Amino acid sequence: MFEYRMIMDLVETLTTPHRVATWRLDDKSLLALVPQLSTRMRQLDALRVRLVHEIDERCLGQKIGASSTQSWLSEAAKLTPAAAKRIVTAGQNLRARPDVTASFDTGVLDIDQVRSITTLLDQIPDLLSDLDPTSVDGDPTDPVTTCTQQCTDYLISAAEHEHAVDTANRAAALKAMLGNQDGPPPDDENEALNEFFASPTTGGRVRVKGHFDKVAGEQLLTALSALSKPQPGRDNTHGEPDPDPRTAAQRRADAITGIIRHYLDSGTAPTEGGETPHLTVFVGLDDLTKATRNSGDTNTHDSEGHPGPHAHDDSCGCDDRRADSGRSVIRRGPAWMPWLGPISIRLAAMLSCDATITPIVMDHDGNPLDVGRTTRTIPRRLRRALDARDCGCAFPGCGRPAAWTDGHHIHHWSNGGETQLSNLVLLCRFHHRRIHKGDWEVYIGDDGHPWFLPPHWIDTDRKPVPSHNRRQLAFTS
């Protein structure tokens, strides 16, 4: 039977690791074994680097048919080519670095720290190329040798108490200090190397990728930080905040979208084609009217705020102006945008809630007949009043700043809804989509403020919930 002591012997653990029953180890043993095992793993990693370097020096991989030591190692050890290359490169970089090698062998450094340190040490001769040897007490002193030893001692000493990212940052800071301030900037500070790609895909989405210098990257991360924080909602009648259902990547995507929308809305963008950039959507009015009518955005409510009959219902036959002619025809689809083409009518309906509208009357073949005057559905003065009333996203538990919200028409303008305070509510893009989805409903109560009706699966009674900035109010009984 495998023996368990108060502190289990590490050698015994490594000899038969598959026989270690972790559940039988006491707290003290568990806490002691993990750091010891981590140190031993670094030591074993150092041994592997030395072994692979010897194989590389003897060209043993090529002798048995491999194209390189890296390709042999990748196949023999089941490593990715990148991981194999990292090991081969580490062995080559350590040849003339006995101090770094010793710290690696004893488990003080891991392979990533070795890479950061040796990369800097190899760059020091170029960084100090403009310095001449000096003399101290009559003895010649090479600044490169002196600086290399000082940097080695400093980085190894610091690495003993930190992880690889901290060591990499220290090495980068030393490189910045030693570099020629009058020469070209390092790659991570060179604006000329910045790249950004935005490519429409065949599926209709846009794929982006890029890399930036440190200043631009810092500005981007700073802008995203506050806007991508989790936004807990209040989706239950007990007032308990539910966690944000979005992943971190989804929150960042929403943040960058909000930044772009805010920039376009600011009116400070340079003109293109004689006007400031804005989102353009072409959609047939009859299609839009039908879509918003079917989405149920025209609910009325009784005096207690409970849903009443629809103001317009297809079943009653009212407002059926195109019943005989069918759907309006537009060449590129029922709704489309200049850059990315067709979009759903539902998305077009949401975009039209708070937008600059340019009416383009088209015939049934999709030919423009008349272009009307561009008007903003929510005038600036009314928008200020809306900001003052809702103080940001009105959805319960949200409260995102007003600058990052849309003005949602409760009764859609394409169905005759008026652009006035009693028919508008501020919603962030996330909750704007939720309202258009139809699970939640919103209406203006007798107090002149927005109230929200949760779906049946959250509250079977559908008790009205006050807007976010009036969350201190008790729920209506």
Side-chain angles (χ1 to χ4, degrees):
M1 187 68 179
F2 198 60
E3 294 291 334
Y4 280 78
R5 292 179 291 277
M6 181 63 70
I7 298 295
M8 195 174 184
D9 182 67
L10 182 61
V11 175
E12 186 177 1
T13 303
L14 293 173
T15 303
T16 54
H18 61 283
R19 297 179 59 187
V20 177
T22 55
W23 62 272
R24 296 185 61 185
L25 291 170
D26 59 83
D27 296 351
K28 186 177 181 180
S29 297
L30 283 171
L31 295 174
L33 277 173
V34 170
Q36 293 177 18
L37 182 61
S38 300
T39 300
R40 184 58 59 89
M41 290 173 67
R42 290 193 292 270
Q43 293 171 341
L44 292 174
D45 211 11
L47 175 59
R48 181 171 61 175
V49 167
R50 289 194 285 116
L51 292 173
V52 170
H53 180 63
E54 189 63 27
I55 291 173
D56 189 40
E57 289 287 286
R58 300 184 190 183
C59 299
L60 297 182
Q62 291 87 326
K63 289 180 180 179
I64 61 175
S67 60
S68 65
T69 302
Q70 176 184 329
S71 63
W72 169 83
L73 179 60
S74 177
E75 180 69 23
K78 295 192 293 187
L79 297 173
T80 64
K85 181 180 180 180
R86 187 162 57 247
I87 293 172
V88 174
T89 303
Q92 296 169 347
N93 292 341
L94 285 171
R95 280 179 295 190
R97 309 293 180 197
D99 293 344
V100 182
T101 301
S103 296
F104 191 23
D105 287 338
T106 56
V108 172
L109 303 177
D110 63 27
I111 192 169
D112 292 322
Q113 290 174 314
V114 167
R115 179 173 56 180
S116 298
I117 294 174
T118 56
T119 298
L120 173 67
L121 299 182
D122 290 342
Q123 293 173 339
I124 288 179
D126 291 334
L127 295 173
L128 302 183
S129 60
D130 58 335
L131 297 182
D132 297 324
T134 58
S135 178
V136 178
D137 296 331
D139 297 326
T141 301
D142 181 8
V144 172
T145 302
T146 302
C147 181
T148 299
Q149 188 60 51
Q150 291 174 343
C151 289
T152 300
D153 296 340
Y154 168 72
L155 290 174
I156 290 177
S157 176
E160 187 174 358
H161 308 287
E162 63 189 19
H163 53 68
V165 174
D166 292 332
T167 303
N169 288 335
R170 288 184 186 274
L174 288 174
K175 180 181 177 181
M177 293 170 58
L178 298 173
N180 182 3
Q181 303 301 319
D182 297 327
D187 288 352
D188 58 356
E189 298 179 9
N190 191 349
E191 296 181 1
L193 299 179
N194 291 358
E195 292 182 320
F196 182 78
F197 304 90
S199 307
T201 66
T202 56
R205 299 183 66 82
V206 175
R207 181 178 298 276
V208 298
K209 66 177 181 178
H211 54 87
F212 302 93
D213 63 278
K214 282 187 172 179
V215 174
E218 184 73 14
Q219 291 172 335
L220 175 62
L221 295 178
T222 300
L224 291 177
S225 177
L227 294 174
S228 59
K229 291 180 179 179
Q231 295 287 333
R234 191 176 68 187
D235 289 348
N236 57 67
T237 55
H238 302 293
E240 299 174 356
D242 291 335
D244 193 326
R246 300 172 298 168
T247 65
Q250 289 172 330
R251 296 198 305 269
R252 287 191 295 270
D254 286 344
I256 195 72
T257 302
I259 292 172
I260 294 171
R261 290 177 53 245
H262 184 64
Y263 169 69
L264 293 178
D265 290 344
S266 67
T268 60
T271 61
E272 183 178 37
E275 60 182 352
T276 56
H278 60 281
L279 188 65
T280 302
V281 177
F282 294 87
V283 60
L285 179 60
D286 293 319
D287 287 327
L288 186 60
T289 301
K290 182 178 179 181
T292 53
R293 188 169 66 239
N294 290 341
S295 68
D297 73 326
T298 55
N299 285 346
T300 58
H301 302 84
D302 59 25
S303 59
E304 296 183 357
H306 297 291
H310 292 291
H312 295 280
D313 193 323
D314 287 341
S315 62
C316 70
C318 63
D319 197 22
D320 197 11
R321 292 169 292 177
R322 294 292 304 276
D324 296 329
S325 59
R327 173 176 291 183
S328 60
V329 178
I330 299 180
R331 283 188 296 257
R332 298 171 179 83
W336 56 278
M337 298 186 297
W339 282 99
L340 294 175
I343 62 174
S344 67
I345 289 291
R346 181 177 62 183
L347 178 58
M350 187 183 75
L351 293 174
S352 66
C353 272
D354 183 12
T356 297
I357 305 299
T358 303
I360 301 179
V361 181
M362 295 185 172
D363 63 18
H364 297 313
D365 293 322
N367 297 310
L369 299 177
D370 184 36
V371 178
R373 183 174 60 89
T374 297
T375 59
R376 179 174 292 275
T377 59
I378 301 180
R380 189 176 301 275
R381 182 176 299 179
L382 180 58
R383 174 67 192 221
R384 290 173 180 169
L386 190 58
D387 293 352
R389 187 196 68 187
D390 293 349
C391 303
C393 179
F395 195 91
C398 182
R400 289 181 72 86
W404 307 100
T405 59
D406 298 329
H408 170 69
H409 283 73
I410 298 174
H411 174 39
H412 203 277
W413 63 268
S414 65
N415 290 324
E418 297 183 6
T419 302
Q420 56 187 17
L421 201 61
S422 60
N423 191 43
L424 294 169
V425 59
L426 288 184
L427 295 171
C428 69
R429 182 53 58 95
F430 176 76
H431 289 113
H432 198 173
R433 288 194 297 262
R434 172 169 281 189
I435 290 295
H436 273 275
K437 185 179 178 181
D439 293 337
W440 284 75
E441 295 180 38
V442 59
Y443 68 96
I444 302 299
D446 295 336
D447 57 359
H449 288 270
W451 287 77
F452 293 79
L453 296 176
H456 289 288
W457 54 269
I458 291 179
D459 179 12
T460 55
D461 295 329
R462 304 200 70 192
K463 295 182 179 179
V465 182
S467 60
H468 176 77
N469 70 317
R470 292 166 63 82
R471 59 191 179 277
Q472 71 276 10
L473 298 178
F475 294 118
T476 304
S477 58

